[in-house]
Amino acid sequence: MADKLSISEYANQEVRYGVIPMLSKERLYSFWDMAFVTGAYAIATWCYFHGAELSEYLGFRQALFSTFGAICAFIALIAIIGVISSRYGIDHWIYSRAVFGYKGVMVVFLVSALSSWGWTAINAQMYGSSMLKVANATPLSLSEERWFEPIALTCVFFGWAIAMKGPTAVRYVTRIMTLALLAVGAIVVALLLIKASPSEIWNAQAVSPAEPGEVRMQYMLATEWNIAFALSWFTVIGALTRLAKSERAAMWGIWWGYAFIMAVFILIGAAVSVVVVGQGAEPTGDVTDYLLELGGPGLGLISLIFVGVANITTQAVELYAMSVSTKILRPSWSYRWVCTFWALTVAGLVMWGGVWEYYGTFLAIMGVIAGPVVTLVILDYFVVRRQRVSVTHLYKKGVYQYSGGFNVVAFLAFAAGVVAFLAVYDPIANEARSTVFMYTTATGASVIGTTVAYLILWRIPPLQRYLLKDRDAVGETREAARELVGESLPAGEPAGS
């Protein structure tokens, strides 16, 4: 059959679209590629949307410190996970088999993936809102009730079409769009400075200022949203950083793309909201309205067009990365069918519309999942295993089966993190349950709870043997490598690399 692949073609396809480790010579992304890809993923209207949500509670100065402090600090944890993936050329979900067990990782991945698609749905909805407003600013008048969903769904479709072309297409598209979006950001900042003086922007107050006794509470609540926003990107990171040419490119590309650039655009979204609402605009919460108010029918429309189109590249990056990661469930699944399935999932969330409506609760779900999972992956690799893992046995059932495929110790620590989160914060009412929240936030409390629980459990001798039963497998991997290369590996080299 014409569509049948040779063995070499199939292997190459699985390297790019599947779970096979990538060799150094096969890597595609330099530092700049990583920065462009993650930057294009980060710079979507969800940044403006998140910034507008923050402006409800924070003035510009508060938003500046909360956003840069929380996002730049916690994205560093995501960057560390990216280093693990880059070191071995594997998705971090493959490594997570050592953390959660061969079956346990599937449960964690599905829960994480299903919740994180809410971001992509928001992305498509903001695209629909932007494009509808652009259309209605022209002689073409479209009914929001009739056309909003169909337009939003085109964002999903175009993103899916790019993702189907694979990582090379994603790289070239994001290079173009990231530069364009940085230019748009500069235009928006220029419009802000025309609309208001620097001192007016600096002193701009929250859209809904807090009562005197609630100022700190609102600041910490917004900071919690920022932390959850930052950590929620962990689901896709490994599928991107396995393509990085070096660990340095992976780490710093992520930090500049996800952390710094994303924080800048969130802050721009907050600034736009507090300035235009402070000057009398209707506080709709939809930043597309604010951009039109700021730039008028000319530059405002140009900004909306570029930001709207950027959401397509964001869809493409998300669909590619998550589809590759999904293949840990069953490597034989077709990348194209998996990508199509997830695109349809996003389309369903767009038509439902609930993620946008319950944004605060959605962020809480991301925090309660991402905090413990990110913490466990980092602790397990750097503290418990001391950077020694058998890559060979990550692909074999047996060593990382633990108890019926589940690492009970990791799940107990995960549960401790969830309990810590819920003990200090009510995710439904969006309010603190304990004064501890005022010092740690909810996601911060979950990170601390998970860390303490895992390190205590790890120190119990029987549980330490339970966690480190791969030590013999690591030794086997090193001996096999020695025989292969005909010489001893350096003593400090990570096993399985």
Side-chain angles (χ1 to χ4, degrees):
M1 294 176 62
D3 60 346
K4 281 195 172 182
L5 300 175
S6 68
I7 295 298
S8 61
E9 288 172 333
Y10 178 78
N12 182 64
Q13 176 174 292
E14 282 303 296
V15 165
R16 297 291 181 89
Y17 302 98
V19 297
I20 294 176
M22 296 198 77
L23 301 177
S24 296
K25 63 182 180 181
E26 298 167 332
R27 311 286 179 90
L28 298 174
Y29 292 171
S30 65
F31 161 77
W32 288 109
D33 290 322
M34 284 299 305
F36 279 128
V37 169
T38 55
Y41 185 41
I43 306 172
T45 43
W46 55 36
C47 286
Y48 292 103
F49 181 78
H50 186 71
E53 290 291 312
L54 293 179
S55 72
E56 284 292 315
Y57 293 146
L58 302 181
F60 180 80
R61 281 178 292 177
Q62 292 175 312
L64 171 67
F65 292 116
S66 174
T67 301
F68 273 89
I71 289 181
C72 290
F74 279 84
I75 286 292
L77 300 180
I78 306 299
I80 291 172
I81 292 179
V83 167
I84 300 173
S85 293
S86 177
R87 179 168 295 176
Y88 301 107
I90 59 176
D91 195 320
H92 71 287
W93 289 109
I94 296 293
Y95 171 73
S96 295
R97 288 171 173 169
V99 184
F100 299 104
Y102 214 90
K103 294 181 181 177
V105 70
M106 297 182 184
V107 175
V108 175
F109 171 76
L110 282 174
V111 172
S112 303
L114 290 172
S115 58
S116 67
W117 284 118
W119 287 118
T120 324
I122 289 175
N123 176 59
Q125 288 173 291
M126 292 297 291
Y127 169 92
S129 179
S130 297
M131 294 299 101
L132 192 62
K133 287 181 172 63
V134 169
N136 287 335
T138 69
L140 179 64
S141 181
L142 302 177
S143 165
E144 180 174 354
E145 183 176 342
R146 181 176 178 181
W147 287 100
F148 174 73
E149 286 184 2
I151 293 174
L153 291 175
T154 63
C155 180
V156 181
F157 172 78
F158 291 133
W160 168 84
I162 295 171
M164 293 290 275
K165 300 294 184 181
T168 303
V170 169
R171 176 176 62 170
Y172 287 120
V173 169
T174 53
R175 276 183 178 179
I176 297 169
M177 286 313 304
T178 302
L179 291 173
L181 283 166
L182 290 173
V184 170
I187 292 172
V188 173
V189 170
L191 291 173
L192 273 171
L193 293 174
I194 292 171
K195 200 82 170 178
S197 68
S199 63
E200 287 178 304
I201 297 172
W202 180 252
N203 294 307
Q205 299 301 306
V207 174
S208 302
E211 297 294 328
E214 297 294 320
V215 173
R216 183 171 178 178
M217 173 58 71
Q218 290 202 172
Y219 181 85
M220 294 305 293
L221 179 60
T223 301
E224 162 61 25
W225 287 0
N226 277 327
I227 293 173
F229 190 95
L231 290 184
S232 61
W233 308 118
F234 85 98
T235 51
V236 302
I237 198 63
L240 300 176
T241 52
R242 70 193 284 266
L243 301 167
K245 294 180 179 179
S246 68
E247 294 173 27
R248 185 186 297 269
M251 182 165 188
W252 290 108
I254 291 168
W255 197 88
W256 282 101
Y258 274 146
F260 185 78
I261 293 177
M262 184 163 66
V264 167
F265 274 76
I266 289 172
L267 190 64
I268 291 173
V272 168
S273 300
V274 295
V275 167
V276 300
V277 172
Q279 294 185 351
E282 185 69 23
T284 63
D286 186 344
V287 76
T288 56
D289 292 331
Y290 300 159
L291 287 173
L292 283 172
E293 180 75 21
L294 187 69
L299 290 175
L301 285 177
I302 293 173
S303 299
L304 286 182
I305 291 170
F306 274 99
V307 172
V309 172
N311 288 349
I312 294 173
T313 63
T314 302
Q315 293 278 337
V317 175
E318 174 89 357
L319 286 169
Y320 168 76
M322 286 295 286
S323 297
V324 170
S325 296
T326 301
K327 295 191 70 175
I328 67 161
L329 303 176
R330 188 180 292 259
S332 61
W333 283 346
S334 163
Y335 165 81
R336 288 170 174 77
W337 282 110
V338 171
C339 187
T340 301
F341 171 80
W342 284 130
L344 292 173
T345 301
V346 177
L349 290 173
V350 169
M351 290 187 286
W352 172 51
V355 179
W356 193 330
E357 185 177 353
Y358 302 106
Y359 185 69
T361 301
F362 165 66
L363 282 178
I365 292 171
M366 295 308 306
V368 79
I369 295 171
V373 173
V374 169
T375 302
L376 285 168
V377 172
I378 294 174
L379 285 177
D380 187 82
Y381 183 71
F382 288 99
V383 179
V384 174
R385 301 186 196 283
R386 298 183 181 179
Q387 304 183 58
R388 298 180 181 180
V389 61
S390 170
V391 175
T392 302
H393 287 81
L394 289 174
Y395 289 87
K396 290 182 178 180
K397 293 182 180 179
V399 171
Y400 298 117
Q401 279 292 92
Y402 297 107
S403 303
F406 294 85
N407 181 350
V408 176
V409 176
F411 278 94
L412 286 174
F414 183 94
V418 173
V419 169
F421 185 101
L422 297 176
V424 303
Y425 182 63
D426 182 345
I428 305 300
N430 286 327
E431 60 185 31
R433 284 177 167 153
S434 166
T435 55
V436 174
F437 179 85
M438 306 294 284
Y439 300 94
T440 66
T441 72
T443 302
S446 75
V447 168
I448 294 170
T450 302
T451 300
V452 172
Y454 201 53
L455 293 182
I456 289 175
L457 292 170
W458 168 59
R459 285 297 183 181
I460 300 173
L463 296 182
Q464 188 170 102
R465 290 192 293 272
Y466 175 86
L467 286 172
L468 297 179
K469 60 176 61 178
D470 64 342
R471 276 292 175 257
D472 292 338
V474 171
E476 293 169 6
T477 302
R478 293 178 64 84
E479 289 303 320
R482 288 191 182 99
E483 293 177 8
L484 182 64
V485 301
E487 60 184 5
S488 296
L489 291 171
E493 182 170 332
S497 60

